[in-house]
Amino acid sequence: MTTTHTYDALVIGGGGAGLRAAIELSERCRTAVISKLYPTRSHTGAAQGGVCAALGNVEEDSPEWHAFDTVKGGDYLVDQPAAILMCEEAIDAIYQLERWGLPFNRTPDGLIDQRRFGGHTRNHGEAPVRRACYAADRTGHMILQTLYQQCVKRDVRFLNELYCVDLLRAEDGSTAGVVAYELATGELHVFRAKAVVFATGGFGRMFRVTSNAHALTGDGPAVVWRRGIPLEDMEMFQIHPTGLARLGVLLSEAARGEGGVVLNEGGERFMERYAPTIKDLAPRDLVSRAIYQEIKEGRGGGPNGDWAYLDISHLDPKVIEEKLPDITEFARIYLKVEPTKEPVPIQPTAHYAMGGIPTDVDGRVVDGPDETIVPGLYAAGECACVSVHGANRLGTNSLLDLVVFGRRAGDDAARFVTDAALQPLGERPESRALEELNSILGRSTGENAADIRKELQDSMFDLAFVVRSEVGLTKMREILGNLRERYGQVAIGDKGANYNTDLMETVELGYLLDCADALVAGALARTESRGGHFREDHPLRDDANWLKHTLAYREPDGWIRMEFKPVKMGPYVPMERKY
């Protein structure tokens, strides 16, 4: 049985970007937020260190310096007009959160306090600057709670534990709605809408070691990809240098912002070799590769020699307990390490997708090198690629991205629906989703989804992680072809309708395979090293040939077609990244 609902606008995802879009939409049109989680369980809550804006509360700063750092940090793959806009709108966005009650840490005279963060500098790279506004090391959690309270205040309609499993498009390509699966009942729902905003987050669960929650399986990018929309710069995946060893649980850059340092097995502070000016506060891709290099040259610790260490034991215990309470607690609980007295074992961990669904600065999804607008389709946050992060996102720019572009996407979608009409749906619009679900439920024997997922995560970690090569990526593409064949024969034990998490985890595995396909295709195509994408067979950045974005399309036969579009330049001329 299928139920049909009608709204003006739908937001898919209840994290920071989705909630910020819903706040804009709910005051102007009939809106529903469809989320597979209860919204306050969204992964935005895991962001620790801060949200940046050039407030200049602690020392001199300017949006221009912030934009320069964003473009340089992104290794010049950043669309500069979008980055400049984000950095200019950052200040109002932070003060809006403050007015809504976000409990920021304060300076002695009551202003929002700010701390240092990797890659953020004053005067175009001169020295580190205090730009990150923060609420201890729980900033994302506080943003999520604050935005959720504002949604409750506005009576936003939440439909929780519903999984978006298909995007509905009219014959002319415009947006008609979505199909969603209700976890509690196993029922499919057809949602008609004039506008749909995707805000489904990232897809780090394709890697073995990741800071991402189990729910981050690339649902949004995969669903739109299957409906003919390209994915942009998917090869640009950020590896965060300081995840807890083996587990990937994040230890925020805030630790280094407060004075923490990274050490090798010999207790040496090795970042002085790789980034002599800002050392441990270098951008994440540089620190991750430095750790990789130390391990490769035999200076790693731990049972397999593949750990480094984060040391905050020299800091004032009062600073640690007041400003870094979660980080220290994680080390104690998960690794039984006392961070006030000894270094914490760390490993680079899959953290953030710079690529995703291509959009303009108003969150409108765009198709192809000429950026044709897809009517009624929007994306914001980590699942989107407006390309303010380019090849490497600076710390604290993610929370800024979701409040700035979540607002802009909601605002433009609200404008769009006032003049738009509901698009007609074909007969049985749920049939495609139903066929996929029934094929999984219909098999009594077959492949095990958990085995496929494990092989995907292990292989991606080994062949498409910090360092890549043509040989490794080609092998990964073959493995993905094999995994996809096996995925076509998956069978699950639970055939029930109520809370069939087995079924949904299998569907999510399909999304991860899609995102991994697009990532590997982009990484093979890009024969250079830039930001988070490092090819040891092409170790240099190649601005002559690669100052462009990749667009991956899935053809009906499963083949991936690549197209390209130029980076939007601005005042910042590409130069060598030195820190």
Side-chain angles (χ1 to χ4, degrees), residues 271-312:
M271 280 312 298
E272 294 177 349
R273 269 204 296 282
Y274 301 91
T277 305
I278 59 175
K279 303 181 179 87
D280 300 87
L281 287 173
R284 292 168 175 180
D285 62 319
L286 295 184
V287 184
S288 290
R289 274 201 302 284
I291 292 172
Y292 178 86
Q293 195 62 30
E294 291 294 303
I295 290 166
K296 191 177 170 187
E297 292 175 12
R299 293 187 290 276
N304 302 316
D306 58 353
W307 296 355
Y309 299 90
L310 178 66
D311 187 17
I312 57 172

Side-chain angles (χ1 to χ4, degrees), residues 76-264:
Y76 298 93
L77 197 71
V78 172
D79 284 337
Q80 294 189 26
I84 290 165
L85 178 97
M86 178 179 77
C87 297
E88 286 171 348
E89 293 195 357
I91 295 165
D92 284 347
I94 296 302
Y95 286 133
Q96 177 73 79
L97 290 170
E98 182 186 36
R99 283 194 295 276
W100 282 340
L102 197 149
F104 285 112
N105 278 45
R106 300 283 169 177
T107 63
D109 49 1
L111 299 174
I112 295 172
D113 198 7
Q114 296 183 273
R115 63 176 161 213
R116 291 177 177 175
F117 233 78
H120 291 279
T121 68
R122 63 180 164 84
N123 201 18
H124 308 99
E126 208 172 81
V129 73
R130 298 177 193 279
R131 186 177 290 145
C133 312
Y134 63 98
D137 55 358
R138 303 187 183 114
T139 315
H141 176 78
M142 297 304 184
I143 287 178
L144 192 63
Q145 300 293 332
T146 302
L147 293 176
Y148 185 63
Q149 288 163 6
Q150 291 300 315
C151 286
V152 170
K153 180 181 174 183
R154 288 165 175 76
D155 290 324
V156 171
R157 180 86 200 274
F158 285 101
L159 301 165
N160 300 329
E161 295 189 334
L162 267 77
Y163 289 66
C164 175
V165 289
D166 198 8
L167 168 68
L168 301 176
R169 300 181 74 186
E171 280 184 17
D172 65 357
S174 55
T175 307
V178 302
V179 179
Y181 173 92
E182 186 176 359
L183 189 63
T185 63
E187 188 183 345
L188 281 178
H189 296 258
V190 173
F191 289 89
R192 298 188 68 191
K194 301 172 186 178
V196 176
V197 182
F198 277 93
T200 56
F203 37 89
R205 296 309 300 185
M206 68 169 73
F207 295 101
R208 183 173 74 233
V209 177
T210 178
S211 64
N212 287 193
H214 285 276
L216 287 188
T217 50
D219 306 26
V223 162
V224 303
W225 202 41
R226 293 172 182 186
R227 286 297 189 175
I229 308 288
L231 296 178
E232 179 177 345
D233 290 343
M234 290 291 279
E235 67 276 16
M236 296 304 177
F237 202 95
Q238 180 165 84
I239 312 303
H240 195 294
T242 59
L244 282 180
R246 291 195 313 274
L247 304 172
V249 174
L250 199 67
L251 297 181
S252 167
E253 216 159 295
R256 284 173 287 140
E258 296 295 344
V261 295
V262 187
L263 307 175
N264 60 22

